[in-house]
Amino acid sequence: MNQVILFFMALLMFTTAFAADTRQSGYSQMRPETRALQDDDTQNPAMLWVEEGRSLWSKNAANGKSCADCHGEASKSMRGVAARYPQFSSAVKRPVNLAQQINICRTTKQNNTAIPLDDQTLLSLESYVAHQSRGLPISPPTDKRLNAANRLGEKLFHQRIGQLDLSCKDCHTDNAGKSLAGNIIPEAHPTGYPLYRLEWQSVGGLQRRLRNCMVGVRAEPYPAGSAEMVALEVYLAARARGMKMESPAVRP
Amino acid sequence: MTRTLITIPPNITRGEIIGIRVLIQHPMETGYRRGSDGAMLARNLIRRFNCEFAGDDKKRTVIFNANLHAAIAANPYVSFSFRVDSPGALFFNWVGDNGFTHVETRALALRA
């Protein structure tokens, strides 16, 4: 009798261990046509940005330095890097996302000007770097200096905003998987950024996507690169810890 | 600079029908939209795409061509098939509004 109970207890533990992670990437809710676009690099339009980034990687800035001069072969040096962002930057003493870190490199190492976060050049470089982490788990650093940003991000995620008085959580946690005007509400895991969004007809970063939602609930979006935006990125990365990177993804 | 992704399968044998996939970076602005300032955005479309093949005799023959219109998405993707009877070169041409032209060339080798 004891053996039977033990057997069922073991079975229960086994099933809960494997059923524990029910998080889903937006990929799993896409139509087969859109999935096919992401799965095939010869069809994925985001690969145009990745290729552009590849050529920018070894292009010299005015002071004669390229990304490759310091970082070498991106396939080795940048592998897994995008999966660890946002990080705390000791240079500017605050959390920064990947695009901001590229800008810090540009201004401090290349003696160049910073580029706006939605600029195609920056998106190309970001896509190229993020592409090197494809298939790796999202692994935000366990850095105490990120804790404040993580808490702020969590607060903002649960805070109702805008004329529609909705928080991120209201749709993306409570009603994920249900329909919103014909679209399935994803769980908001940033697994594939920067990604090609069919609605945008272009590649865009996570902050552009966040801005979309904020405008959607008729709230005033936080400025690009602001502490609040990065805090949301920090929280979303922590929330998606362990999920596989798909960059550059395609989304409807 | 305009970026393109052209995919031609490797190890082609004589007489094989291959699939050629072509993607080009282009906004394909329809001319029907307004910008955030309310002004009309000028039309900027690729109007025509063609692919030519030149075999041993170096004479170019059009093997595929397409007219593109406002309803076609940005970064247009075109895929077509072609029977390879001899090695040679493929020439891809895009022509569009505002004097847009882009040319790419790819060698087509056969498996020995």
Side-chain angles (χ1 to χ4, degrees):
Chain A
M1 186 61 195
N2 274 345
Q3 273 175 340
V4 175
I5 292 171
L6 267 173
F7 171 77
F8 277 106
M9 275 174 71
L11 189 72
L12 193 71
M13 278 162 72
F14 183 79
T15 46
T16 47
F18 281 87
D21 196 354
T22 54
R23 294 174 304 175
Q24 279 192 327
S25 154
Y27 175 85
S28 56
Q29 295 157 340
M30 298 197 306
R31 288 160 156 269
E33 298 88 334
T34 322
R35 285 191 202 184
L37 214 54
Q38 175 175 325
D39 292 340
D40 185 351
D41 281 349
T42 67
Q43 285 187 54
N44 186 342
M47 290 309 288
L48 292 166
W49 276 258
V50 172
E51 289 306 316
E52 178 71 20
R54 189 192 305 279
S55 66
L56 290 169
W57 182 257
S58 44
K59 196 176 149 204
N60 290 343
N63 72 347
K65 275 202 166 174
S66 71
C67 306
D69 285 341
C70 291
H71 296 290
E73 192 77 34
S75 58
K76 293 195 189 83
S77 64
M78 290 295 123
R79 186 162 166 75
V81 169
R84 296 195 290 269
Y85 270 83
Q87 282 196 354
F88 191 90
S89 161
S90 342
V92 292
K93 308 229 168 4
R94 58 182 164 86
V96 292
N97 65 16
L98 184 57
Q100 289 171 315
Q101 178 56 49
I102 294 172
N103 259 337
I104 292 171
C105 263
R106 275 177 68 89
T107 47
T108 57
K109 302 285 195 293
Q110 290 187 310
N111 210 358
N112 216 332
T113 49
I115 13 186
L117 288 192
D118 284 332
D119 189 276
Q120 297 297 316
T121 309
L122 192 53
L123 281 170
S124 300
L125 271 170
E126 200 187 343
S127 301
Y128 179 57
V129 173
H131 181 54
Q132 314 304 327
S133 299
R134 190 189 249 183
L136 296 176
I138 293 176
S139 25
T142 47
D143 184 342
K144 283 206 176 81
R145 294 172 298 177
L146 283 175
N147 288 355
N150 194 2
R151 275 195 304 273
L152 174 61
E154 185 172 8
K155 193 187 123 211
L156 294 172
F157 190 87
H158 293 88
Q159 179 176 295
R160 287 169 175 269
I161 52 168
Q163 286 182 321
L164 299 193
D165 201 27
L166 288 169
S167 71
C168 311
K169 167 191 163 281
D170 289 337
C171 289
H172 296 288
T173 305
D174 296 349
N175 288 298
K178 295 185 191 161
S179 287
L180 178 70
N183 299 313
I184 299 174
I185 304 172
E187 293 176 13
H189 296 299
T191 47
Y193 287 91
L195 53 76
Y196 190 91
R197 203 161 172 231
L198 300 180
E199 186 186 315
W200 296 335
Q201 300 271 289
S202 165
V203 163
L206 177 53
Q207 296 203 1
R208 181 172 179 189
R209 186 67 192 83
L210 293 173
R211 200 157 65 231
N212 270 189
C213 265
M214 290 174 190
V215 171
V217 300
R218 300 186 203 152
E220 180 149 353
Y222 296 106
S226 62
E228 288 88 352
M229 281 294 197
V230 178
L232 272 167
E233 285 197 50
V234 170
Y235 174 65
L236 289 176
R239 195 167 158 268
R241 176 187 292 280
M243 296 180 76
K244 281 205 168 50
M245 293 274 292
E246 299 164 31
S247 307
V250 177
R251 289 290 182 273
Chain B
M1 204 199 101
T2 309
R3 207 151 263 289
T4 56
L5 283 179
I6 297 174
T7 314
I8 300 165
N11 299 323
I12 307 163
T13 48
R14 195 177 294 272
E16 187 183 339
I17 297 171
I18 59 165
I20 301 171
R21 298 164 158 197
V22 184
L23 192 63
I24 185 168
Q25 195 163 31
H26 194 278
M28 291 298 277
E29 189 56 59
T30 60
Y32 301 129
R33 299 197 307 160
R34 286 175 194 278
S36 48
D37 58 354
M40 292 303 280
L41 296 168
R43 192 183 80 178
N44 181 16
L45 294 174
I46 292 177
R47 303 305 306 277
R48 210 172 165 76
F49 164 74
N50 80 32
C51 178
E52 294 166 313
F53 174 75
D56 298 328
D57 55 358
K58 307 278 180 237
K59 221 181 94 192
R60 289 194 188 190
T61 346
V62 175
I63 58 166
F64 181 84
N65 95 52
N67 291 330
L68 280 73
H69 299 277
I72 290 173
N75 312 308
Y77 166 79
V78 177
S79 138
F80 53 95
S81 43
F82 172 54
R83 198 182 74 201
V84 188
D85 286 328
S86 75
L90 289 167
F91 302 89
F92 302 87
N93 310 294
W94 293 263
V95 181
D97 292 334
N98 313 318
F100 175 88
T101 54
H102 189 80
V103 180
E104 292 278 337
T105 311
R106 293 287 184 282
L108 203 60
L110 293 186
R111 192 168 59 187

